[in-house]
Amino acid sequence: MLSGVASIKLRKRKIGRIFLLFLFISFLQAGDSQKKETLPFPVTQHTLKNGLRIILAEDNTLPVVSVVVAYNVGSINEKPGKTGLAHLLENLMFQGSRNVGQMQHYSFIQKIGGMLNAVTTADKTIFYQTVPSNQLALVLWLESDRMKSLNISTTNVENIKNSLIEDIQQRQIADPYLGIFWYFDRMLFPSFSYGHPVLGTIPDIKSITVEDVKDFFSSYYVPSNAVVSIAGHIDKNEVMELVEKYFSTIPMGNELPPLDLEDLPKIQNNNLSVNNAFAPSPGFLLGYQIAPRYSEEYYPLVITEYVLMKGLTSRMHARLIEKDKTAIYLSGGIQRRMDQNAFRIFVRATNEILNERNQRAVFSEINKLKTTFVPEGELQKTKNMFKMDFYKQYSTVLDKAFFLAEMLLDGKDAHQCLAELDRFLAVTHYDIARMVNKYFNEDRILLNIEMK
Amino acid sequence: MRKELGVMNFSLIFCYLLPFIFLTAAPLTPQERFRRSPPLPEPFPELSLPPIETHTLTNGLGLAIVRRENRPVISMRLIILTGERSSPDNLPGLATLTARMLTKGTTNLKAEDVEESIESIGGHLSVDTYPDYSMFNFFFLEEYLDEALRLLGEIILRPTFPRTEVENVQRSMFYDLAVRSTDPAFLARRLVLQILFESHPYKKIIYDQGEIKNMSRRDVVSFYSKYYLPNNAKLVLVGNINLETASRKVSRFLSPWQKKELERSYVPILSPRDTTKIAFIDLPQAKDAAIFLGNIIFPINSPDYFPFIVLNQIIGGTPNSRLFMHLRESKGYAYYAFSETQFYRGCGIFLVTSRIRREVAYEAIQEILNELNNIRKGNIPSQEIEQAKSYLIGNFPLTIETFDNLSYKVAENQAFDLGRDHWERYIENIMRINSEMVSDMGQKYSLHTPVIVIVGNNEILEYLKDFDQVSVYSIDGKPRYEIKKGEKE
């Protein structure tokens, strides 16, 4: 529904993943006096000579291990006219390397009962797998082979281009609102780098050449731009030996191309409408630019997101779906593009009259938060729901590995983030009112989706 | 969350038929010897499963606890040991409607208050109804165990079944069904089951929109009073809690739940069908053909369970299995082709699921039947058996990582009385399967004479004309007419 599945799906998980980091860090600090809530796994970090960063988390609950290899590259690194390149390369990574045949990465992992996949976002490309812990070496062999010697041939690239184009067409058929989301996101993030969809556009994908792919690969898929995160049933010393063996002789690569991002212009009050004959019902999109992740204001903004949008009893759901019964679909929340954040709400109704009522209701719910404090009981409920999502982020070893990889790529030192859960839980009703007043103001975009 | 994400790349693979080209690596710069071939695995690590501890409370409620210490959450599942098969014959769907009504209002709480109470403890509560039981799934922060049990007691003991809420739930069941009825895979699966279950009580898992409207509040109340009894229920808890504390707390909140005499219904055992039947549903908007084939196999508590799941793995458990390799990789007929098993108290189902290019529908069906006939002949190479076993053994710990998945497995074990061996010795039970045991399964069960359901646009009928007889059904599963070979439609 959003700017491409790549980003939607990740967005969903990310909200929670941030918190895992903090949790584990509070464990590091807590030491002997750890509370019941802390995460019982030790973490160690290393950097290889070629710049590859390694993070290890031991968890012996079950004989499984997750390996996450994450590259600090995404759609934000693409150039105009070549959108979709980062996502294309993610797919190409399954098409074989010097010692691994086409799709063999997949079949090797499948045969041993493991799972694997990959995801591309605005600023990261992440490959991941969970396998029985006796098969760790196999995964390191596979991952190092494609990092070192990916097979980038004309045939492979053309095949992937065709399937990606067909994929975009299928998604557009399956989701008549997809194009509208792309259009809206370009206005909400009004610069090329931040605003274009991760999936890319069909003409751009068509224009991608083998040389483009080779350049992108040799620029960004290098050890110094990557992180290997391993969590599960491991012996730290043995693991480091294996990691050294498979990854240390991969050449460091050239200096990374500079990331010259234009400043993201601030949005201004804007009411627009778009006509969509294919949409099954009218609706609207509303967006605000808000403070970025890791900033002071981010914590109250996340709690605000929960108050408004999370769960059946959240303000918007309770109002539009349960009480007024004027909306047939409601979604939204914080949208992240590397160092920029926005808040987006999408509501659908059965007809234009209810659509207008929904718009008034959404603004009225937002305005209530500006003038009336969230009652104590509701704030506690919201924080409990938040806590639940927070804890879910370490239900599997993959969750842990995934989160640690993201943290490392974001350049966050564990010790900076101490007691992060507490910062979320310390948010007051006053903080929420302050944030809503500051960010949910007249500088917003309202896109009305009509069906004429 | 992971599951949702999990389709990212591989949805591409299953949706588009990419030509497969194996590239021969050109001689390049020298490389380290160890890079040339995959490393050998270490010995398979020990898997020790936490034991299931059980206790029966004085009112007959069964309690099962699995202790896991590393997360501050609890997954709790209440199983009512009566499912859709016990709905009255003229009211299929009543078990589902009743279960969904429990959270819609109690003596002390309105439906929205129930939602509020659930989310206040960081919780989620959902309910699923199966042929043999209904399951209430409750997940919450561990510090709120008392609140969770109090709420559970409230919805189980004091539901009021408000008339308007009955209508709301009926409307939502009606709408769910309408949405799902546009999905070829859903229609194909449902018709296979409908034909296989014929006149068995399990046929009541299938109901149409008219039947949803037939049920009244009175029916719900009567189903509830008859079956929602502590001596017909089990409660499963996974979290950092011991049996003693759990028993004490559960008793405190659920002991007012009164035991009552309950007539246990006998589940007739179904046998495999030995003749093939071909059925077709016309879904005008479907571009491809959903082709599903199924037959009856044994009930879940049969000793055939372990050898059969190894066999299923060989036939179609993953993209490395026979169906996918042959139908997709060699022939290019299928977008996907898999097989699966489902188990109940009275029978099991073996089901082949596939999405096929419509112009090769006939060839694809023949190819699937060939595969099933080959299985019947036996002679499955032991290497294939070992590979299937290593998948199942390797995959098992991944399926019990989250508290939710773990408690589901435990609940299933309790609902079907599968016993300790089935749970604690899963790995050993797979390990001991040999070639002979697997081949026996192929001979014992008539996989080669299944019900075959094709769902697609009616242009497919043109490609099915070589079958002796095709039974045409409407989208809601009503038989419409037969097409015999050589006859014009």
Side-chain angles (χ1 to χ4, degrees):
Chain A
M1 272 281 181
L2 320 179
S3 56
V5 158
S7 54
I8 317 172
K9 290 182 172 168
L10 197 70
R11 181 186 60 79
K12 278 195 169 175
R13 64 189 309 153
K14 267 188 180 153
I15 287 165
R17 277 189 194 286
I18 305 155
F19 316 132
L20 166 62
L21 157 67
F22 305 136
L23 189 66
F24 121 71
I25 287 148
S26 49
F27 168 74
L28 282 185
Q29 190 203 35
D32 295 337
S33 65
Q34 61 178 280
K35 287 188 292 181
K36 200 165 66 169
E37 286 164 356
T38 56
L39 191 62
F41 64 87
V43 171
T44 47
Q45 250 178 273
H46 305 264
T47 305
L48 303 188
K49 286 191 297 291
N50 57 12
L52 183 67
R53 284 157 291 168
I54 317 292
I55 189 157
L56 310 174
E58 216 173 316
D59 174 353
N60 296 331
T61 314
L62 287 166
V64 293
V65 63
S66 284
V67 178
V68 169
V69 180
Y71 298 89
N72 208 356
V73 60
S75 60
I76 218 157
N77 304 86
E78 292 164 351
K79 298 209 160 47
K82 300 288 179 187
T83 64
L85 186 50
H87 186 229
L88 184 148
L89 197 46
E90 178 218 306
N91 279 272
L92 199 70
M93 287 284 274
F94 293 90
Q95 297 301 309
S97 46
R98 182 163 176 187
N99 303 292
V100 180
Q102 190 181 28
M103 292 310 290
Q104 265 189 13
H105 192 117
Y106 181 75
S107 59
F108 271 121
I109 301 295
Q110 264 290 326
K111 277 180 188 162
I112 56 174
M115 64 74 67
L116 76 165
N117 216 331
V119 66
T120 307
T121 71
D123 62 335
K124 296 184 182 72
T125 309
I126 303 174
F127 300 86
Y128 55 93
Q129 43 255 304
T130 303
V131 296
S133 54
N134 61 327
Q135 296 280 6
L136 176 62
L138 175 70
V139 177
L140 300 178
W141 175 73
L142 288 165
E143 285 289 4
S144 61
D145 210 59
R146 62 184 178 182
M147 187 188 289
K148 185 168 192 276
S149 57
L150 185 68
N151 205 333
I152 305 175
S153 68
T154 314
T155 330
N156 278 350
V157 170
E158 290 306 312
N159 278 342
I160 294 292
K161 279 166 64 175
N162 290 334
S163 67
L164 290 177
I165 289 167
E166 204 180 329
D167 179 51
I168 293 178
Q169 290 164 340
Q170 289 291 337
R171 284 174 198 253
Q172 284 173 325
I173 294 169
D175 179 0
Y177 296 95
L178 189 61
I180 299 174
F181 271 90
W182 290 341
Y183 172 67
F184 186 75
D185 283 353
R186 282 195 197 98
M187 292 188 293
L188 195 54
F189 296 99
S191 85
F192 166 78
S193 305
Y194 291 104
H196 73 270
V198 176
L199 289 178
T201 65
I202 291 176
D204 282 7
I205 294 173
K206 282 188 178 151
S207 82
I208 291 172
T209 65
V210 177
E211 289 314 309
D212 293 331
V213 180
K214 283 185 173 163
D215 278 353
F216 205 74
F217 180 79
S218 62
S219 305
Y220 296 109
Y221 279 59
V222 292
S224 54
N225 196 41
V227 158
V228 175
S229 171
I230 303 174
H233 198 297
I234 51 173
D235 174 308
K236 274 178 299 198
N237 300 325
E238 284 172 23
V239 171
M240 276 318 292
E241 268 175 43
L242 282 174
V243 170
E244 286 273 356
K245 172 176 165 185
Y246 286 105
F247 288 93
S248 65
T249 58
I250 299 176
M252 184 170 225
N254 299 324
E255 205 171 309
L256 290 171
L259 179 64
D260 55 27
L261 289 172
E262 335 75 283
D263 284 338
L264 189 68
K266 289 279 163 246
I267 55 170
Q268 316 242 298
N269 184 298
N270 201 350
N271 289 337
L272 301 120
S273 54
V274 53
N275 225 326
N276 185 356
F278 298 107
S281 58
F284 68 93
L285 276 156
L286 172 66
Y288 299 90
Q289 289 176 338
I290 59 167
R293 184 174 169 183
Y294 301 119
S295 68
E296 277 297 322
E297 295 178 333
Y298 182 66
Y299 308 94
L301 281 164
V302 169
I303 299 298
T304 306
E305 177 193 28
Y306 271 68
V307 169
L308 285 173
M309 306 298 298
K310 290 283 169 160
L312 300 174
T313 62
S314 64
R315 296 267 176 121
M316 292 297 179
H317 195 276
R319 171 81 186 262
L320 300 175
I321 308 274
E322 311 238 337
K323 183 171 158 270
D324 293 1
K325 298 189 169 57
T326 46
I328 52 170
Y329 181 84
L330 164 70
S331 68
I334 296 177
Q335 303 296 308
R336 194 170 158 245
R337 300 278 190 282
M338 202 166 79
D339 57 346
Q340 300 294 334
N341 270 344
F343 195 95
R344 192 175 68 189
I345 296 176
F346 177 45
V347 182
R348 280 169 52 195
T350 48
N351 62 54
E352 301 284 356
I353 296 163
L354 293 182
N355 187 33
E356 272 174 42
R357 272 188 62 180
N358 286 335
Q359 293 179 16
R360 287 196 300 271
V362 164
F363 286 122
S364 120
E365 288 303 327
I366 288 171
N367 287 332
K368 263 187 224 164
L369 287 181
K370 292 181 184 172
T371 51
T372 317
F373 289 140
V374 176
E376 199 43 51
E378 184 183 357
L379 190 58
Q380 190 54 50
K381 174 196 78 181
T382 305
K383 288 178 182 174
N384 280 341
M385 292 183 68
F386 171 84
K387 245 166 114 177
M388 194 65 174
D389 285 349
F390 173 108
Y391 292 141
K392 264 187 212 143
Q393 301 312 303
Y394 57 93
S395 22
T396 65
V397 287
L398 180 56
D399 287 319
K400 292 175 192 170
F402 205 103
F403 187 76
L404 294 174
E406 283 197 287
M407 175 198 74
L408 234 65
L409 279 192
D410 284 344
K412 290 296 149 191
D413 173 25
H415 300 283
Q416 283 175 6
C417 309
L418 287 171
E420 205 71 1
L421 173 60
D422 291 343
R423 294 175 79 174
F424 283 103
L425 298 183
V427 169
T428 64
H429 54 218
Y430 175 74
D431 297 332
I432 293 173
R434 194 166 50 93
M435 283 307 107
V436 177
N437 276 296
K438 176 163 179 189
Y439 288 104
F440 292 70
N441 55 30
E442 288 308 303
D443 297 329
R444 82 311 185 260
I445 299 173
L446 177 66
L447 177 65
N448 194 35
I449 303 162
E450 296 169 358
M451 301 173 54
K452 282 187 183 124
Chain B
M1 219 165 357
R2 175 91 38 219
K3 220 172 203 173
E4 196 187 340
L5 190 90
V7 283
M8 181 63 210
N9 259 299
F10 299 112
S11 63
L12 274 185
I13 296 167
F14 296 143
C15 290
Y16 308 105
L17 292 164
L18 273 181
F20 262 54
I21 294 141
F22 282 89
L23 295 144
T24 44
L28 303 160
T29 46
Q31 64 172 347
E32 298 112 318
R33 183 178 291 270
F34 65 78
R35 294 204 186 271
R36 290 184 201 162
S37 52
L40 293 174
E42 304 279 315
F44 196 80
E46 206 49 37
L47 169 69
S48 59
L49 288 171
I52 303 173
E53 297 176 86
T54 56
H55 176 66
T56 304
L57 304 185
T58 45
N59 61 0
L61 177 65
L63 191 58
I65 307 293
V66 170
R67 190 161 192 182
R68 275 280 193 230
E69 296 178 346
N70 49 1
R71 271 160 249 156
V73 294
I74 288 177
S75 173
M76 177 159 88
R77 292 178 190 263
L78 177 76
I79 312 157
I80 299 294
L81 295 162
T82 300
E84 206 58 81
R85 74 157 204 263
S86 306
S87 293
D89 285 346
N90 61 338
L91 298 172
L94 184 58
T96 304
L97 176 61
T98 307
R100 290 181 59 175
M101 278 309 299
L102 272 272
T103 54
K104 300 298 175 186
T106 72
T107 325
N108 302 309
L109 301 171
K110 287 191 297 218
E112 54 268 35
D113 300 330
V114 174
E115 278 173 6
E116 193 73 38
S117 313
I118 295 165
E119 296 195 340
S120 292
I121 60 174
H124 299 277
L125 176 60
S126 65
V127 57
D128 296 303
T129 298
Y130 302 86
D132 299 299
Y133 52 85
S134 279
M135 202 190 281
F136 294 80
N137 319 305
F138 200 1
F139 199 56
F140 51 89
L141 295 167
E142 71 173 7
E143 65 251 44
Y144 296 109
L145 177 59
D146 285 5
E147 286 79 356
L149 286 169
R150 182 178 299 122
L151 182 62
L152 185 70
E154 184 70 23
I155 65 172
I156 295 295
L157 289 164
R158 286 176 282 279
T160 48
F161 307 110
R163 206 170 292 278
T164 52
E165 293 290 347
V166 175
E167 283 160 20
N168 285 341
V169 173
Q170 277 172 308
R171 204 172 304 124
S172 126
M173 286 169 72
F174 190 90
Y175 180 73
D176 287 351
L177 192 59
V179 170
R180 298 181 78 188
S181 298
T182 60
D183 172 12
F186 170 77
L187 296 173
R189 179 183 297 266
R190 189 174 63 168
L191 188 56
V192 170
L193 294 178
Q194 179 188 320
I195 296 170
L196 288 176
F197 288 152
E198 249 182 332
S199 54
H200 189 276
Y202 284 158
K203 71 172 192 290
K204 286 171 277 181
I205 59 168
I206 294 151
Y207 42 85
D208 63 26
Q209 297 187 325
E211 286 164 328
I212 292 173
K213 287 183 187 154
N214 274 342
M215 299 180 277
S216 68
R217 178 179 180 275
R218 198 159 54 167
D219 299 322
V220 171
V221 172
S222 125
F223 193 88
Y224 165 78
S225 356
K226 198 163 165 194
Y227 298 115
Y228 280 65
L229 304 172
N231 45 320
N232 191 38
K234 289 189 178 181
L235 187 68
V236 172
L237 286 160
V238 171
N240 190 5
I241 185 165
N242 63 36
L243 185 62
E244 200 195 333
T245 315
S247 304
R248 182 166 41 79
K249 294 203 170 202
V250 173
S251 302
R252 186 173 146 213
F253 293 102
L254 293 179
S255 58
W257 197 7
Q258 294 292 320
K259 199 178 206 168
K260 221 163 78 184
E261 202 59 36
L262 171 73
E263 197 184 315
R264 301 248 169 222
S265 68
Y266 163 79
V267 202
I269 301 292
L270 266 174
S271 335
R273 52 181 296 140
D274 51 14
T275 52
T276 302
K277 177 182 172 89
I278 300 170
F280 174 77
I281 295 178
D282 178 13
L283 188 67
Q285 69 270 33
K287 194 174 136 210
D288 307 301
I291 299 183
F292 283 39
L293 299 84
N295 208 345
I296 301 286
I297 51 173
F298 48 87
I300 190 161
N301 53 8
S302 158
D304 290 346
Y305 180 85
F306 289 100
F308 199 95
I309 62 169
V310 174
L311 177 65
N312 175 62
Q313 198 54 39
I314 292 166
I315 299 173
T318 71
N320 292 309
S321 305
R322 288 185 178 189
L323 287 174
F324 194 90
M325 290 308 283
H326 293 189
L327 273 102
R328 191 191 144 101
E329 302 301 310
S330 349
K331 300 279 184 182
Y333 292 161
Y335 294 87
Y336 68 84
F338 295 109
S339 67
E340 62 186 53
T341 50
Q342 291 172 14
F343 292 99
Y344 315 110
R345 254 186 202 281
C347 71
I349 301 287
F350 169 79
L351 190 67
V352 172
T353 65
S354 69
R355 183 176 147 213
I356 304 287
R357 284 167 37 222
R358 71 171 166 215
E359 60 278 16
V360 291
Y362 181 79
E363 289 81 353
I365 292 170
Q366 294 305 335
E367 197 62 36
I368 295 169
L369 291 173
N370 278 344
E371 289 299 336
L372 299 177
N373 270 307
N374 286 340
I375 294 294
R376 194 173 174 72
K377 289 182 200 136
N379 298 328
I380 299 164
S382 60
Q383 192 206 339
E384 237 181 313
I385 290 173
E386 290 313 308
Q387 194 176 302
K389 285 162 63 178
S390 89
Y391 174 89
L392 290 168
I393 292 167
N395 189 246
F396 183 71
L398 271 68
T399 66
I400 53 168
E401 264 202 282
T402 65
F403 278 20
D404 236 15
N405 291 345
L406 179 60
S407 73
Y408 180 78
K409 293 237 180 218
V410 175
E412 198 177 44
N413 180 289
Q414 294 298 302
F416 288 124
D417 303 308
L418 296 178
R420 281 179 58 174
D421 188 72
H422 197 274
W423 168 244
E424 285 171 25
R425 294 174 46 80
Y426 181 91
I427 302 287
E428 293 90 324
N429 284 329
I430 299 285
M431 290 272 204
R432 67 178 172 83
I433 304 302
N434 60 34
S435 192
E436 201 186 325
M437 295 156 95
V438 175
S439 298
D440 281 353
M441 290 300 105
Q443 274 138 41
K444 192 165 169 187
Y445 297 101
S446 310
L447 305 184
H448 63 299
T449 52
V451 169
I452 302 169
V453 172
I454 302 120
V455 178
N457 183 314
N458 68 10
E459 287 167 40
I460 297 173
L461 284 173
E462 177 60 23
Y463 304 105
L464 303 178
K465 62 183 185 305
D466 286 335
F467 287 117
D468 289 337
Q469 184 163 350
V470 177
S471 311
V472 179
Y473 285 77
S474 63
I475 285 177
D476 60 0
K478 303 286 175 291
R480 289 176 56 204
Y481 55 90
E482 303 289 322
I483 301 172
K484 300 227 163 72
K485 190 172 175 177
E487 281 178 14
K488 286 273 173 206
E489 193 184 325

